[in-house]
Amino acid sequence: MFDLFRIVENRRYYFVLSLLVILPGVLAMIYNVITLPTHTPWRLSVDFLPGNRFEVKFTQPVSEDQIRSVFQSFGITNPAITRLGDPSENIWQVRTVFIEGERAQQIRSALAKVALLDENSTQIQSVSPTVAAQVTQAAVIAVIVATVAILLFIWWSFRKAEHAFRYSICAIAALIHDILIAAGITAIFSALFNWEIDALFLTAMLTVLGFSIQDTIVVYDRIRENLTRRRGESFETVVTRSLLETLNRSLTTSLINILVLTALLLFGGASIKQFVAVLLIGMISGTYSSIFVAVPLVVAWFERDLWGTKQRAPKMAVAGK
């Protein structure tokens, strides 16, 4: 019979659950790569693309065709026009190729002739091709550096344990699991609701990495302690004991964070909702992976049995040097 608390022994069920959550996100990313003009897994905001983003609020209703005709009169033939918020708010977003500052202001003035603009709620953002390339490159480097630093830190912290590097690799696998879930769900919302990733998305992902590894290290540390205290027990038994001993702490800490983020998502400003949503998804995924992915993967590697279905004599715990 399935026992929820026999986490390591029943790891195949948790691995399958992870795959079922990750798979739709991966399919959504592939779909976006094929269908989006940028051929990227997500819609990219002006932070990562050279171009302009006009966010304009009119004081009276206007149609998409009226806005499009203004941009076409300046030779911009394919602006991406999207209505933001409730139709009664008359807020529109227009994304274009890169436009020089003076010409962008001329377009703004032309839009004001269609209907008066709410100047306090109207803005123009622009990113040149050079800046966009630098931002994208910096984002990639930040993720790589963070991942390598985590890998080396865990290896150094557990260097006296047997096969310390396996702990690092499994922790990184759990991080990849969290990234795929957060990125995949973002891709689904990108396809369905035109979500765009911006610099805040990168901030959310790096925060998720830090949170996820924190929970994993807590469990790893308890395993290291119990390997010394519980000599003679099988490795799987020591790991299961360590998971259950830290389970309350992990769930309590995570639940508090999740409640705070949920409140922000429900009552926070519209400008941070997407950031909070990604953070919330990553937080839930990070809590799950530290308990049901990272540690069971370590046992699977030690036993050379990914799904935990082989019948064999239990491997005795080795405390290390």
Side-chain angles (χ1 to χ4, degrees):
M1 179 180 291
F2 180 79
D3 186 341
L4 179 66
F5 293 101
R6 298 169 72 177
I7 296 170
V8 175
E9 185 179 338
N10 292 317
R11 56 184 177 270
R12 57 187 175 280
Y13 299 111
Y14 301 112
F15 292 166
V16 169
L17 178 60
S18 293
L19 290 174
L20 290 177
V21 176
I22 290 172
L23 187 60
V26 172
L27 293 176
M29 286 191 276
I30 295 172
Y31 173 80
N32 287 339
V33 168
I34 295 172
T35 59
L36 290 179
T38 54
H39 298 296
T40 52
W42 316 276
R43 290 181 185 276
L44 302 181
S45 77
V46 71
D47 290 349
F48 296 101
L49 285 175
N52 286 64
R53 175 179 176 272
F54 294 74
E55 184 174 323
V56 291
K57 180 175 183 179
F58 295 98
T59 56
Q60 61 188 63
V62 297
S63 68
E64 179 177 333
D65 289 340
Q66 287 177 293
I67 298 173
R68 188 179 300 281
S69 65
V70 169
F71 283 87
Q72 287 177 339
S73 67
F74 284 86
I76 302 167
T77 57
N78 58 345
I81 304 174
T82 309
R83 186 193 294 274
L84 300 179
D86 190 86
S88 62
E89 296 179 285
N90 300 316
I91 303 176
W92 294 84
Q93 171 187 271
V94 184
R95 291 176 52 81
T96 68
V97 295
F98 181 69
I99 303 171
E100 296 292 342
E102 183 178 349
R103 192 162 171 237
Q105 291 302 324
Q106 292 174 351
I107 294 175
R108 178 178 178 147
S109 301
L111 288 170
K113 293 178 182 176
V114 176
L116 287 178
L117 296 176
D118 182 341
E119 296 296 338
N120 293 328
S121 302
T122 298
Q123 57 179 326
I124 303 174
Q125 296 175 311
S126 64
V127 174
S128 70
T130 302
V131 173
Q134 290 175 345
V135 170
T136 304
Q137 185 181 27
V140 173
I141 292 175
V143 172
I144 293 175
V145 169
T147 304
V148 172
I150 290 169
L151 184 73
L152 294 177
F153 174 74
I154 295 178
W155 168 79
W156 185 83
S157 299
F158 293 84
R159 63 191 182 282
K160 293 184 179 179
E162 184 187 20
H163 302 304
F165 209 66
R166 294 182 182 180
Y167 292 86
S168 300
I169 298 297
C170 292
I172 296 300
L175 291 183
I176 294 172
H177 167 278
D178 299 338
I179 290 174
L180 284 176
I181 287 180
I185 293 177
T186 302
I188 292 173
F189 281 92
S190 186
L192 295 178
F193 305 112
N194 296 326
W195 274 23
E196 294 181 344
I197 66 165
D198 53 16
L200 283 178
F201 174 80
L202 178 63
T203 305
M205 295 301 284
L206 290 175
T207 305
V208 167
L209 291 183
F211 179 84
S212 175
I213 201 66
Q214 175 188 336
D215 259 6
T216 302
I217 286 178
V218 169
V219 184
Y220 278 3
D221 200 43
R222 183 58 60 91
I223 293 173
R224 183 175 56 178
E225 292 175 3
N226 284 337
L227 284 174
T228 304
R229 296 173 183 169
R230 305 284 178 178
R231 294 176 186 274
E233 290 187 356
S234 71
F235 184 66
E236 181 176 316
T237 302
V238 171
V239 169
T240 301
R241 183 190 301 280
S242 304
L243 270 174
L244 295 179
E245 288 176 355
T246 55
L247 191 61
N248 183 55
R249 178 263 179 205
S250 297
L251 293 180
T252 302
T253 306
S254 300
L255 185 60
I256 292 171
N257 292 326
I258 288 169
L259 289 176
V260 172
L261 289 174
T262 302
L264 275 175
L265 185 64
L266 294 176
F267 306 110
S271 61
I272 63 169
K273 278 190 182 296
Q274 187 174 321
F275 166 73
V276 175
V278 174
L279 205 54
L280 181 60
I281 293 166
M283 198 73 73
I284 296 171
S285 173
T287 304
Y288 176 86
S289 69
S290 63
I291 299 170
F292 298 102
V293 176
V295 177
L297 272 179
V298 173
V299 177
W301 197 342
F302 272 81
E303 295 183 348
R304 298 185 183 281
D305 180 11
L306 179 62
W307 301 104
T309 53
K310 293 181 181 176
Q311 298 294 326
R312 65 179 64 196
K315 180 179 174 61
M316 293 299 110
V318 178
K321 300 174 184 176

